[in-house]
Coordinates of all heavy atoms in Angstrom, one line a residue:
P99 N -26.7 8.0 7.4 CA -26.3 9.3 7.7 C -24.8 9.6 7.4 O -24.0 8.6 7.2 CB -26.6 9.4 9.2 CG -26.4 7.9 9.7 CD -27.0 7.1 8.5
T100 N -24.3 10.8 7.5 CA -23.0 11.2 7.5 C -22.2 10.5 8.6 O -22.7 10.4 9.7 CB -22.8 12.7 7.6 OG1 -23.5 13.2 6.4 CG2 -21.3 13.1 7.5
H101 N -21.0 10.0 8.4 CA -20.2 9.3 9.4 C -19.7 10.3 10.3 O -18.8 11.2 10.0 CB -19.2 8.5 8.6 CG -19.6 7.6 7.7 ND1 -19.1 7.5 6.4 CD2 -20.6 6.6 7.7 CE1 -19.7 6.5 5.7 NE2 -20.6 6.0 6.5
P102 N -19.8 10.1 11.7 CA -19.3 11.0 12.7 C -17.7 10.7 12.9 O -17.1 11.4 13.4 CB -20.1 10.7 13.9 CG -20.7 9.5 13.7 CD -20.9 9.3 12.2
T103 N -17.4 9.3 12.7 CA -16.0 8.9 12.9 C -15.4 8.3 11.6 O -16.1 7.8 10.7 CB -15.8 8.0 14.1 OG1 -16.7 6.8 13.9 CG2 -16.3 8.6 15.3
D104 N -14.1 8.2 11.7 CA -13.3 7.6 10.5 C -13.4 6.1 10.4 O -13.6 5.6 9.3 CB -11.7 7.9 10.7 CG -11.5 9.4 10.6 OD1 -12.3 10.1 9.9 OD2 -10.5 9.8 11.2
V105 N -13.4 5.4 11.6 CA -13.3 4.0 11.6 C -14.1 3.5 12.9 O -14.0 4.1 14.0 CB -11.9 3.5 11.6 CG1 -11.1 4.1 12.8 CG2 -11.7 2.1 11.6
S106 N -14.7 2.3 12.8 CA -15.3 1.6 13.9 C -14.5 0.3 14.2 O -14.3 -0.5 13.2 CB -16.8 1.3 13.7 OG -17.5 2.6 13.7
V107 N -14.3 0.0 15.4 CA -13.6 -1.2 15.8 C -14.6 -2.1 16.6 O -15.1 -1.6 17.6 CB -12.3 -0.9 16.7 CG1 -11.7 -2.2 17.1 CG2 -11.4 -0.1 16.0
L108 N -14.9 -3.3 16.1 CA -15.8 -4.2 16.8 C -15.0 -5.2 17.5 O -14.3 -6.0 16.8 CB -16.8 -4.8 15.8 CG -17.5 -3.8 14.9 CD1 -18.5 -4.7 14.0 CD2 -18.3 -2.8 15.6
G109 N -15.1 -5.3 18.7 CA -14.3 -6.3 19.6 C -13.2 -5.6 20.3 O -12.3 -5.1 19.6
L110 N -13.4 -5.6 21.7 CA -12.3 -5.0 22.4 C -11.5 -5.8 23.4 O -11.3 -5.5 24.5 CB -13.0 -3.8 23.1 CG -13.6 -2.6 22.4 CD1 -14.2 -1.6 23.2 CD2 -12.5 -2.0 21.4
G111 N -11.1 -7.0 22.7 CA -10.2 -7.7 23.6 C -8.9 -7.1 23.6 O -8.7 -5.9 23.1
A112 N -7.8 -7.9 23.9 CA -6.5 -7.2 24.1 C -6.0 -6.7 22.8 O -5.5 -5.6 22.6 CB -5.5 -8.2 24.6
M113 N -6.2 -7.5 21.7 CA -5.9 -7.1 20.3 C -6.7 -5.9 19.8 O -6.3 -4.8 19.2 CB -5.8 -8.2 19.3 CG -5.2 -7.9 17.9 SD -3.6 -7.2 18.0 CE -2.6 -8.7 18.2
G114 N -8.0 -6.0 19.8 CA -8.9 -5.0 19.4 C -8.7 -3.7 20.1 O -8.7 -2.6 19.3
S115 N -8.5 -3.8 21.4 CA -8.2 -2.5 22.1 C -6.8 -1.9 21.6 O -6.7 -0.7 21.5 CB -8.1 -2.8 23.6 OG -9.3 -3.2 24.1
A116 N -5.9 -2.7 21.3 CA -4.6 -2.2 20.9 C -4.8 -1.5 19.5 O -4.1 -0.5 19.3 CB -3.6 -3.3 20.8
L117 N -5.5 -2.0 18.6 CA -5.7 -1.5 17.3 C -6.4 -0.1 17.5 O -6.1 0.8 16.8 CB -6.6 -2.4 16.4 CG -6.0 -3.8 16.1 CD1 -7.0 -4.6 15.4 CD2 -4.7 -3.6 15.3
A118 N -7.6 -0.1 18.2 CA -8.2 1.2 18.5 C -7.4 2.2 19.1 O -7.3 3.3 18.7 CB -9.5 0.9 19.5
S119 N -6.5 1.8 20.0 CA -5.6 2.7 20.8 C -4.6 3.4 19.8 O -4.4 4.6 19.7 CB -4.9 1.9 21.9 OG -3.9 2.9 22.5
A120 N -4.1 2.5 18.9 CA -3.0 3.0 17.9 C -3.7 4.0 16.9 O -3.2 5.0 16.6 CB -2.4 1.8 17.1
L121 N -4.9 3.8 16.6 CA -5.7 4.6 15.7 C -5.9 5.9 16.4 O -5.7 7.0 15.8 CB -7.0 4.0 15.3 CG -6.9 2.9 14.3 CD1 -8.4 2.1 14.2 CD2 -6.4 3.2 12.9
L122 N -6.3 6.0 17.6 CA -6.4 7.2 18.4 C -5.1 7.9 18.5 O -5.0 9.2 18.3 CB -6.9 6.9 19.8 CG -8.4 6.5 19.9 CD1 -8.7 5.9 21.3 CD2 -9.4 7.6 19.4
D123 N -4.1 7.3 18.8 CA -2.7 7.9 18.8 C -2.3 8.6 17.5 O -1.6 9.5 17.5 CB -1.6 6.8 19.1 CG -1.7 6.4 20.5 OD1 -2.3 7.1 21.4 OD2 -1.2 5.3 20.9
A124 N -2.8 7.9 16.4 CA -2.5 8.5 15.1 C -3.5 9.7 14.7 O -3.4 10.1 13.6 CB -2.6 7.4 14.0
G125 N -4.4 10.0 15.6 CA -5.3 11.2 15.2 C -6.6 10.8 14.5 O -7.2 11.7 14.1
R126 N -6.8 9.5 14.4 CA -8.1 9.1 13.8 C -9.3 9.2 14.8 O -9.1 9.0 16.0 CB -8.0 7.6 13.3 CG -6.8 7.3 12.4 CD -7.1 7.8 11.0 NE -5.9 7.6 10.2 CZ -6.0 7.4 8.8 NH1 -7.2 7.5 8.3 NH2 -4.9 7.4 8.1
S127 N -10.4 9.5 14.3 CA -11.6 9.4 15.1 C -12.2 8.0 15.1 O -12.3 7.4 14.0 CB -12.6 10.4 14.7 OG -13.0 10.2 13.3
V128 N -12.5 7.5 16.2 CA -12.8 6.1 16.4 C -14.1 5.8 17.2 O -14.1 6.4 18.2 CB -11.7 5.3 17.0 CG1 -11.9 3.8 17.1 CG2 -10.3 5.6 16.3
T129 N -14.9 4.9 16.7 CA -16.1 4.4 17.4 C -15.7 2.9 17.8 O -15.2 2.2 17.0 CB -17.3 4.4 16.6 OG1 -17.7 5.7 16.3 CG2 -18.5 3.8 17.3
V130 N -16.1 2.6 19.0 CA -15.7 1.3 19.6 C -17.0 0.6 20.0 O -17.9 1.3 20.6 CB -14.6 1.3 20.8 CG1 -13.3 1.8 20.0 CG2 -15.0 2.3 21.9
W131 N -17.0 -0.7 19.9 CA -18.1 -1.6 20.4 C -17.5 -2.9 21.0 O -16.6 -3.5 20.2 CB -19.2 -1.7 19.4 CG -20.2 -2.8 19.8 CD1 -21.3 -2.5 20.7 CD2 -20.3 -4.1 19.6 NE1 -22.1 -3.6 20.8 CE2 -21.4 -4.6 20.2 CE3 -19.5 -5.0 18.8 CZ2 -21.9 -5.9 20.1 CZ3 -19.9 -6.3 18.8 CH2 -21.1 -6.8 19.4
N132 N -18.0 -3.5 22.0 CA -17.7 -4.7 22.5 C -19.1 -5.3 23.0 O -19.9 -4.7 23.6 CB -16.7 -4.7 23.7 CG -16.1 -6.1 24.0 OD1 -15.4 -6.7 23.1 ND2 -16.5 -6.6 25.1
R133 N -19.2 -6.6 22.8 CA -20.3 -7.4 23.2 C -20.5 -7.4 24.6 O -21.6 -7.1 25.2 CB -20.3 -8.9 22.7 CG -21.4 -9.7 23.1 CD -21.5 -11.1 22.5 NE -21.3 -11.0 21.1 CZ -21.3 -12.1 20.2 NH1 -21.3 -13.3 20.8 NH2 -21.2 -12.0 19.0
T134 N -19.4 -7.4 25.4 CA -19.4 -7.3 26.9 C -19.2 -5.9 27.3 O -18.1 -5.4 26.9 CB -18.4 -8.2 27.6 OG1 -18.7 -9.6 27.1 CG2 -18.5 -8.1 29.0
P135 N -20.2 -5.3 28.0 CA -19.9 -3.8 28.2 C -18.9 -3.6 29.2 O -18.4 -4.5 29.9 CB -21.3 -3.5 28.9 CG -22.3 -4.5 28.5 CD -21.4 -5.8 28.4
G136 N -18.3 -2.4 29.2 CA -17.2 -2.0 30.2 C -15.9 -2.0 29.7 O -15.0 -1.4 30.3
R137 N -15.6 -2.6 28.5 CA -14.2 -2.6 28.0 C -13.8 -1.3 27.3 O -12.7 -1.3 27.0 CB -14.0 -3.8 27.1 CG -14.0 -5.2 27.8 CD -13.6 -6.2 27.0 NE -13.5 -7.6 27.7 CZ -13.1 -8.7 27.2 NH1 -12.8 -8.8 25.9 NH2 -13.1 -9.8 27.9
A138 N -14.8 -0.5 27.1 CA -14.5 0.7 26.3 C -14.0 1.9 27.2 O -13.7 2.9 26.7 CB -15.7 1.1 25.4
T139 N -14.0 1.7 28.4 CA -13.8 2.9 29.3 C -12.6 3.7 29.1 O -12.6 4.9 28.8 CB -13.9 2.5 30.8 OG1 -15.1 1.8 31.1 CG2 -13.8 3.6 31.7
D140 N -11.6 2.9 29.0 CA -10.3 3.6 28.7 C -10.1 4.3 27.4 O -9.6 5.5 27.4 CB -9.0 2.7 29.0 CG -8.9 2.2 30.4 OD1 -9.4 2.8 31.3 OD2 -8.1 1.2 30.6
L141 N -10.6 3.7 26.5 CA -10.5 4.2 25.1 C -11.4 5.4 25.0 O -11.2 6.5 24.3 CB -11.1 3.1 24.0 CG -10.0 2.0 23.9 CD1 -10.7 0.9 23.0 CD2 -8.7 2.4 23.2
V142 N -12.6 5.4 25.7 CA -13.5 6.6 25.6 C -12.8 7.8 26.4 O -12.9 8.8 25.9 CB -14.9 6.3 26.3 CG1 -15.7 7.5 26.6 CG2 -15.6 5.2 25.4
G143 N -12.1 7.4 27.4 CA -11.4 8.4 28.1 C -10.3 9.2 27.3 O -9.9 10.2 27.6
R144 N -9.9 8.5 26.3 CA -8.9 8.9 25.3 C -9.5 9.6 24.1 O -8.7 9.9 23.1 CB -7.9 7.9 24.9 CG -7.2 7.4 26.2 CD -6.2 6.3 25.7 NE -5.3 6.8 24.7 CZ -4.8 5.9 23.7 NH1 -4.9 4.5 23.8 NH2 -4.1 6.4 22.7
G145 N -10.9 9.5 24.0 CA -11.4 10.3 22.9 C -12.3 9.5 22.0 O -12.9 10.0 21.1
A146 N -12.3 8.1 22.1 CA -13.2 7.3 21.3 C -14.6 7.5 21.6 O -15.0 7.8 22.8 CB -12.8 5.8 21.5
D147 N -15.5 7.2 20.7 CA -17.0 7.2 20.9 C -17.4 5.7 21.2 O -17.0 4.8 20.4 CB -17.7 7.8 19.6 CG -17.5 9.2 19.4 OD1 -17.0 9.9 20.3 OD2 -17.7 9.5 18.2
A148 N -18.2 5.5 22.2 CA -18.6 4.3 22.5 C -20.1 3.9 21.9 O -21.0 4.8 22.1 CB -18.7 4.0 23.9
A149 N -20.2 2.9 21.1 CA -21.4 2.5 20.5 C -22.1 1.6 21.4 O -21.6 0.7 22.1 CB -21.4 1.9 19.2
H150 N -23.5 1.7 21.5 CA -24.3 0.8 22.4 C -24.7 -0.6 21.7 O -25.2 -1.6 22.4 CB -25.6 1.5 22.9 CG -25.1 2.7 23.7 ND1 -24.6 2.6 25.0 CD2 -25.4 4.0 23.3 CE1 -24.5 3.9 25.4 NE2 -25.0 4.7 24.5

Side-chain angles (χ1 to χ4, degrees):
T100 300
H101 303 132
T103 57
D104 298 328
V105 59
S106 292
V107 178
L108 309 183
L110 298 177
M113 184 58 75
S115 294
L117 296 174
S119 179
L121 291 171
L122 290 169
D123 287 342
R126 304 279 177 160
S127 56
V128 182
T129 295
V130 294
W131 173 82
N132 193 70
R133 180 174 301 182
T134 304
R137 290 192 174 178
T139 303
D140 290 343
L141 293 167
V142 170
R144 296 179 52 209
D147 293 340
H150 299 293

